[in-house]
Amino acid sequence: MAGVRGCPQAGTGQRALAELLLEFSRAQYRAKDGGGGGAGSSTKVERVEKRCLELFGRDYCYSLIQNVNGEICGHYPRQIVFLEYESTDRERNMFESTVQVSKLQDLISRSKMARCRGRFVCPVILYKGKHVCRSATLAGWGELYGRTGYNYIFSGGSDDAWADTEDLSEEDSAFRNADSQLFDKVRGHDIKLLRYLSIRYICDLMVENKKVKFGLNVTSSEKVDKAQRYADFTLLSIPYPGCEFFKEYKDRDYRAEGLVFNWKQDYVDAPLSIPVSLTRSLNIDWSEYQSWDLVQQTQNYLKLLISLINGDDDSGLLVHCISGWDRTPLFVALLRLSLWADGLIHASLEPAEILYLTVAYDWFLFGHMLVDRLSKGEEIFFFCFNFLKHITSEEFSAVKLQRRKSLLPGFTVEEICMLKQRDRGSTTSLSSDFSLVLESSPGAAGSFTSEAVELMPAGAQTQAAWKKSRTSSPQMVLWSRTPQSEDRSPCQEAKSSSSSSSNHSDTFLRVGSSPLEVPKPRLVPVAGRKSRLEEVRSAFLATYSSTIGLKAVPSSPSGALGGLLEQFARGVGLRGSGSTL
């Protein structure tokens, strides 16, 4: 794993997306062969991987976790991006890693055995210095013993996942004799990785407590760990239908309204469980979750994730389902796109570029089995991007404005907050044309309670100055200038984003930056959240219909083909219809 500077700009228009979707629909990504479709496929996948690094590099300095031949995980990217901090062009020219790369690599190698299919806890989004991670659920004893035995036999009697030479005899004894010792060791490494990444919240999307196949517990989950090893984390059981349910979505002409999951099925035994303290600010009646249709359920779960990552603490979150390649990328992608639409992450990316990055990285390179899902009509991938029309309103925004008013003729508060700074690397000079002075106050966990903003010219006498003020939130920063104007209105929270983990012993002060620097209000252009998400959705539908669209409809007699195509066209919004999706 090595530090990497941001890469030059690359084209990511409709043609690149079309090539990506075609490759995606041919074979599942496999790290060991760079794809799954032969030599030509490998070249295309390399272009996808390179483009993802270019797009991440626009706004972040990052390190790479090397997984070249799938040594760590066969269906994770060959180069896994570890986002370290937001960056300017100047900072990318003097990049220095903020993490102990050897320690992170070691933690990952040890912890992979703890999770189903070796899909370890992997950070994929960085927001306000917090990591949003994805993974599979915990491996059960059947998979754990199976994979451990396989590795033990085919490595000549030594398991490279247990690279702890000083107590090899103890591990060997645990493997042979004691379930509890094996689980202690494996899940202990998983917990160490979670703590290293400062993860506090674990959001479990499984509708089962344990996945059972042929009468065996194939997988487990943190919420039913008998030894309560994960008791120090905040566990949220938020059961969400698996990919099989999305066959019904397709069969209903891609209409999710009114589509309610059957919670009375025998295998469904995981109730919704969320600490009350995390739900007070959301104004959602969680006791009604089994009556929600697919739209409302997805909306409410996304609101919950946004409130968790937007809280006042420094804790990140982990989202997982069973294998981590259907429901998990659904919510990771929606969270990424929602925060981007607010201008809070990937601020320099255009709609076509964030769409490409989300499809390529969150879905394709993390092993979603699109070929299999299309063959079964389980269109959870399509649902993800079509669903964007249901999260365009401000209630899904991480920037919750308490009041709206015009501060300048022709400008609303939202539009002023959307204007970008010219000097993005300075904490003392905000803009040569105007300055935003942000003042935030702490609120309930999961809520966003910024209270004030001042707008003034940024001339020599009115240059903004910043100060740190002690509040109940240790990282809250109050921004003000010399008292001059009394006119105030709400804008964006000021909070540090200089560190990606509180567990790092190595610290790095960015040149030209303050550790208390407000997360650069490089907010959305005047187009706004709604139009940005609509543009992403429209671009996806247009490209999807011209590439994968026909694959989404089963083969049928020629006389019925026209009707099926018309059904799909209505479903993706390319044809008018009496009802909307």
Side-chain angles (χ1 to χ4, degrees), residues 153-455:
I153 293 170
F154 288 94
S155 61
S158 63
D159 187 348
D160 60 4
W162 310 105
D164 206 356
T165 56
E166 55 254 81
D167 52 11
L168 181 61
S169 60
E170 176 187 338
E171 290 166 359
D172 187 48
S173 174
F175 171 73
R176 291 194 310 266
N177 302 316
D179 288 1
S180 61
Q181 292 184 35
L182 179 61
F183 279 113
D184 284 344
K185 195 72 178 180
V186 174
R187 293 181 180 175
H189 289 313
D190 182 63
I191 289 170
K192 287 180 182 178
L193 178 59
L194 287 166
R195 287 175 175 162
Y196 186 80
L197 296 171
S198 298
I199 301 303
R200 173 183 174 187
Y201 306 104
I202 300 178
C203 300
D204 183 350
L205 295 164
M206 295 171 60
V207 298
E208 314 95 332
N209 286 319
K210 298 181 178 181
K211 183 68 175 179
V212 179
K213 286 188 175 181
F214 309 112
L216 299 176
N217 292 328
V218 181
T219 69
S220 183
S221 62
E222 299 88 353
K223 59 182 179 282
V224 293
D225 180 65
K226 292 180 179 179
Q228 296 187 336
R229 299 174 184 87
Y230 293 84
D232 291 338
F233 299 90
T234 302
L235 306 181
L236 297 89
S237 175
I238 48 175
Y240 189 85
C243 60
E244 302 87 356
F245 184 63
F246 289 84
K247 172 74 162 57
E248 297 185 39
Y249 166 69
K250 173 187 173 293
D251 291 344
R252 296 175 83 250
D253 289 353
Y254 304 93
R255 286 181 290 114
E257 293 87 348
L259 181 56
V260 181
F261 180 68
N262 179 10
W263 296 95
K264 296 183 179 180
Q265 299 174 79
D266 292 339
Y267 69 94
V268 178
D269 60 358
L272 184 139
S273 177
I274 307 171
V276 176
S277 61
L278 301 178
T279 64
R280 290 178 182 142
S281 63
L282 293 176
N283 195 29
I284 295 172
D285 185 356
W286 294 97
S287 66
E288 297 293 322
Y289 79 97
Q290 292 190 357
S291 66
W292 295 340
D293 65 13
L294 188 57
V295 172
Q296 191 174 7
Q297 188 178 21
T298 309
Q299 287 176 326
N300 289 340
Y301 284 8
L302 180 61
K303 287 179 183 178
L304 176 64
L305 295 180
I306 291 172
S307 82
L308 291 176
I309 198 63
N310 208 33
D312 290 333
D313 60 11
D314 297 323
S315 303
L317 67 89
L318 166 66
V319 181
H320 75 73
C321 49
I322 296 178
S323 295
W325 54 30
D326 290 306
R327 289 167 285 186
T328 298
L330 167 63
F331 282 98
V332 167
L334 289 177
L335 185 58
R336 188 187 301 278
L337 289 166
S338 183
L339 293 173
W340 165 83
D342 290 333
L344 300 174
I345 62 173
H346 303 291
S348 70
L349 298 190
E350 298 297 325
E353 294 169 336
I354 191 67
L355 172 59
Y356 186 96
L357 180 63
T358 307
V359 172
Y361 198 73
D362 294 334
W363 288 91
F364 175 58
L365 294 179
F366 273 88
H368 176 65
M369 301 173 65
L370 183 62
V371 181
D372 177 78
R373 303 302 183 246
L374 288 175
S375 69
K376 297 175 181 176
E378 300 168 351
E379 299 211 35
I380 189 172
F381 171 68
F382 173 81
F383 170 82
C384 174
F385 296 94
N386 194 37
F387 188 78
L388 294 178
K389 64 184 175 182
H390 294 296
I391 61 169
T392 59
S393 68
E394 291 300 316
E395 64 181 310
F396 298 96
S397 173
V399 183
K400 297 180 179 178
L401 302 177
Q402 293 185 335
R403 56 191 175 98
R404 305 161 186 270
K405 74 181 219 179
S406 293
L407 298 182
L408 288 177
F411 289 87
T412 65
V413 173
E414 296 90 59
E415 291 170 340
I416 291 172
C417 290
M418 288 186 251
L419 297 173
K420 295 184 179 181
Q421 295 172 262
R422 289 186 181 177
D423 184 356
R424 289 159 57 175
S426 172
T427 59
T428 57
S429 175
L430 293 180
S431 171
S432 58
D433 296 330
F434 68 91
S435 293
L436 288 178
V437 178
L438 309 178
E439 198 166 296
S440 305
S441 64
S447 65
F448 196 91
T449 55
S450 301
E451 291 184 342
V453 61
E454 294 183 61
L455 182 74

Side-chain angles (χ1 to χ4, degrees), residues 135-157:
S135 73
T137 190
L138 295 179
W141 71 267
E143 180 181 4
L144 187 56
Y145 271 113
R147 282 195 286 113
T148 306
Y150 178 89
N151 290 342
Y152 186 85
I153 293 170
F154 288 94
S155 61

